[in-house]
């Protein structure tokens, strides 16, 4: 369901406003209806798409969030920064990445119908506006925890089951489980879900509080089936806009389409032809476990050969050491002194490389370490996972030498809802 009609890609800061008092009466009415669910309980390649680890080739990088419509004002004290939740698109996709992210997936309760889901989304909309503006949700027992949002964003995405509950005819073909990959080891523990809540912030305190308030809203309608929490380098610990490093020590996400690119909207955002999804996007979320114990046994040249890039600066192995950086284009025709390919034939960036400009995704990755295992929460946004993400992953699945040290253990595909403006309900187009 690829739609190339462009839509505005900026969040609208002018939409920030205190509409909470105006929403109070409507919200109270939701809790007196007596219906179900009511109540407080109730990658890649030469054209700029980055592979699952590191990058392929191209020049996008540190500036990938320029033009997102959001900037961080250094004059505002840390923790008091606000990002608007209003706009053509939801915040949290092209807004600058924060230090922490939490994904929570829910499965709808059997008795919940479309009317109940509308009530749930009205409540969620109210709380999202309150939490991201530094206000507190209705009946918040700890409103002080919402006072310093630290660039809090809340993004909602829906799975196939929720769309089917509203109207099966509205579900696009791509909104389903991905085709099976030979090397996947999916247990179901971190797969799928009818509703996905994505909470991001520079401080774990407001993030945890927001998740708790949202869970309170959702619990009467759906059961939480998994939570995954990720992190990037702490804000201020590295140069602003620097590419993150994953737990293997690799520069991760060098090559990425930029919101400033002419064709960014046609790659990531749905246009008018997508109907209720106009302004939304398709999200693929993969949990990639890293086998760090065996990775630690590999010498540095072996690590760099498996990726096709140097660890110190992310430069491709096709340029002499010290003569390039992570944004130097990879030359896949280059030979080493012995006449072999400078970038090994089974290296990650070579397998991820594509000359098809349509195989590009917008990635936002985060590390995870839950004490039992560690790895990467790989999220990517596009118009059609079947034509954008799947071909890339198939090549990596077939012959990426990095597969020796990584395993895909979780997977989900979701429709990111379009943005909303003050006075509107998030998700309203789905019910129209």
């Amino acid at each position: 369901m690829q739609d190339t009609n462009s839509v505005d890609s900026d969040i609208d800061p002018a939409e920030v406003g205190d509409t909470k008092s105006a929403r109070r009466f409507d919200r109270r009415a939701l809790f007196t209806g007596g219906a179900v669910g009511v109540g407080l309980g109730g990658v890649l390649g030469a054209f700029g798409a980055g592979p699952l680890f590191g990058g392929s080739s191209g020049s996008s990088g540190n500036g990938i969030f320029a033009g997102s419509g959001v900037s961080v004002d250094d004059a505002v004290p840390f923790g008091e920064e606000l990002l608007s939740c209003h706009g053509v698109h939801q915040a949290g996709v092209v807004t600058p990445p924060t230090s922490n992210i939490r994904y929570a997936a829910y499965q709808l309760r059997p008795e919940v119908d479309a009317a109940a889901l509308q009530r749930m989304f009205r409540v969620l909309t109210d709380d999202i506006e309150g939490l991201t503006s530094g206000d507190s949700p209705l009946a918040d027992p700890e409103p002080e925890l919402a006072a310093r949002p630290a660039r809090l964003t809340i993004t909602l995405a829906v799975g196939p089951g929720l769309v089917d509950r509203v109207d099966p005819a509205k579900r696009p073909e791509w909104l389903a489980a991905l085709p099976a990959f030979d090397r996947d080891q999916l247990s179901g523990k971190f797969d799928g879900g009818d509703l996905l809540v994505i909470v991001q912030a520079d401080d774990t305190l407001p993030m945890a509080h927001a998740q708790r308030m949202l869970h309170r809203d959702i619990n009467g309608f759906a059961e939480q089936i998994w939570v995954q929490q990720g992190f990037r380098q702490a804000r201020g610990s590295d140069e602003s806009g620097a590419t993150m490093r994953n737990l293997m020590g690799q520069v991760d996400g060098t090559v990425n389409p930029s919101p400033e690119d002419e064709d960014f909207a046609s790659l990531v955002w749905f246009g008018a032809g997508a109907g209720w999804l106009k302004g939304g996007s398709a999200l693929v979320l993969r949990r990639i476990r890293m086998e760090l114990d065996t990775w630690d046994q590999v010498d540095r040249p072996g690590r760099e050969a498996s990726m096709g890039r140097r660890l110190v600066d992310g430069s491709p192995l096709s340029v002499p050491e010290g003569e390039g950086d992570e944004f130097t284009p990879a030359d896949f025709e280059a030979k080493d002194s012995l006449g072999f390919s400078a970038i090994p034939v089974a290296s990650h960036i070579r397998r991820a490389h594509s000359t098809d400009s349509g195989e590009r995704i917008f990635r936002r990755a985060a590390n995870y370490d839950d004490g039992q295992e560690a790895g990467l929460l790989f999220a990517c946004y596009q118009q059609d996972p079947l034509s954008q993400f799947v071909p890339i992953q198939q090549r990596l699945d077939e012959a990426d030498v990095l597969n020796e040290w990584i395993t895909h253990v979780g997977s989900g595909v979701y429709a990111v809802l379009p943005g909303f403006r003050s006075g509107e309900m998030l998700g309203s187009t789905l019910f129209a």
Side-chain angles (χ1 to χ4, degrees):
M1 182 182 170
Q2 184 146 349
D3 183 279
T4 56
N5 293 315
S6 175
V7 293
D8 295 336
S9 61
D10 291 343
I11 292 171
D12 184 359
E15 289 295 334
V16 180
D18 182 12
T19 59
K20 188 165 188 177
S21 59
R23 299 191 303 265
R24 292 290 192 187
F25 176 80
D26 291 339
R27 174 159 177 161
R28 285 199 184 95
L30 295 176
F31 296 115
T32 59
V36 172
V38 177
L40 293 180
V43 172
L44 299 112
F47 289 85
L52 302 191
F53 293 85
S56 171
S57 63
S59 59
S60 298
N62 287 352
I64 61 173
F65 295 101
S68 65
V70 178
S71 61
V72 177
D73 186 352
D74 291 334
V76 178
F78 182 85
E80 295 183 9
E81 307 96 331
L82 303 178
L83 295 182
S84 173
C85 65
H86 296 128
V88 176
H89 316 296
Q90 288 191 77
V93 178
V94 298
T95 45
T98 57
S99 301
N100 305 284
I101 185 168
R102 181 179 291 185
Y103 297 93
Y106 291 82
Q107 181 176 345
L108 294 178
R109 300 188 187 280
E111 68 274 16
V112 173
D113 58 11
L117 287 172
Q118 281 187 284
R119 292 193 293 274
M120 180 186 74
F121 276 107
R122 289 193 191 104
V123 174
L124 286 170
T125 300
D126 185 83
D127 281 358
I128 289 171
E129 289 180 322
L131 288 163
T132 58
S133 66
D135 205 342
S136 58
L138 183 69
D140 186 348
E142 293 91 17
E144 294 81 7
L145 299 181
R148 296 171 61 84
R151 295 199 297 153
L152 176 73
T153 61
I154 299 168
T155 312
L156 298 187
V158 297
L162 191 147
V163 178
D164 285 348
R165 201 73 66 97
V166 176
D167 183 354
K170 290 188 174 183
R171 177 156 65 93
E173 179 184 2
W174 55 261
L175 188 54
L178 293 171
F181 300 108
D182 290 340
R183 296 179 182 272
D184 281 2
Q185 295 184 17
L186 308 181
S187 66
K189 187 177 179 181
F190 296 106
D191 302 334
D194 297 325
L195 175 67
L196 183 67
V197 180
I198 309 169
V199 182
Q200 303 176 67
D202 283 324
D203 185 354
T204 53
L205 185 64
M207 186 178 75
H209 179 65
Q211 183 64 55
R212 178 186 170 201
M213 294 299 100
L214 298 172
H215 177 77
R216 182 188 67 172
D217 295 340
I218 298 169
N219 193 45
F221 303 88
E223 177 185 3
Q224 185 173 282
I225 56 175
W226 55 254
V227 174
Q228 302 185 69
Q229 187 154 325
F231 59 90
R232 300 167 67 95
Q233 284 140 305
R235 182 173 158 195
S237 65
D238 208 340
E239 180 183 354
S240 178
T243 308
M244 67 166 270
R245 285 187 182 268
N246 62 38
L247 296 179
M248 286 178 160
Q250 300 158 336
V251 174
D252 194 297
T254 295
V255 182
N256 218 8
S258 168
E260 294 181 323
D261 294 344
E262 270 188 31
D263 61 349
F264 183 86
S266 66
L267 291 170
V268 175
W269 302 121
F270 289 115
W276 67 272
L277 274 170
K278 178 185 177 183
S281 188
L283 166 63
V284 173
L285 177 63
R286 304 278 284 180
R287 183 183 178 94
I288 306 174
R289 185 180 70 222
M290 294 177 174
E291 316 299 346
L292 295 177
D293 288 344
T294 54
W295 177 251
D296 288 344
Q297 300 170 17
V298 182
D299 61 15
R300 198 170 184 86
R303 294 183 182 198
E304 294 178 338
S306 69
M307 171 56 64
R309 292 186 177 275
R310 295 183 178 87
L311 289 169
V312 65
D313 57 10
S315 62
L317 298 182
S318 55
V319 298
E321 188 170 359
E323 295 185 14
D325 59 25
E326 62 173 302
F327 305 114
T328 301
D331 180 359
F332 294 99
E333 302 301 320
K335 307 294 182 182
D336 63 17
S337 59
L338 299 177
F340 297 108
S341 296
I343 299 176
V345 295
S347 65
H348 183 75
I349 68 169
R350 185 182 285 273
R351 294 302 300 172
H353 177 72
S354 174
T355 57
D356 183 349
S357 62
E359 290 181 8
R360 298 158 65 198
I361 54 178
F362 182 64
R363 55 171 293 154
R364 286 176 73 105
N367 299 306
Y368 76 88
D369 185 344
D370 61 12
Q372 300 298 317
E373 67 175 44
L376 194 74
L377 300 180
F378 177 85
C380 64
Y381 297 84
Q382 63 258 281
Q383 283 198 358
D384 186 354
L386 297 177
S387 63
Q388 292 174 260
F389 173 80
V390 169
I392 298 163
Q393 183 55 36
Q394 285 175 332
R395 290 196 302 273
L396 295 173
D397 189 60
E398 290 167 359
D400 179 7
V401 70
L402 202 61
N403 288 333
E404 181 70 21
W405 301 283
I406 62 172
T407 306
H408 291 244
V409 295
S411 182
V413 180
Y414 311 91
V416 178
L417 295 170
F420 68 107
R421 301 185 185 278
S422 179
E424 297 177 344
M425 183 187 78
L426 175 58
S428 61
T429 55
L430 174 60
F431 300 96

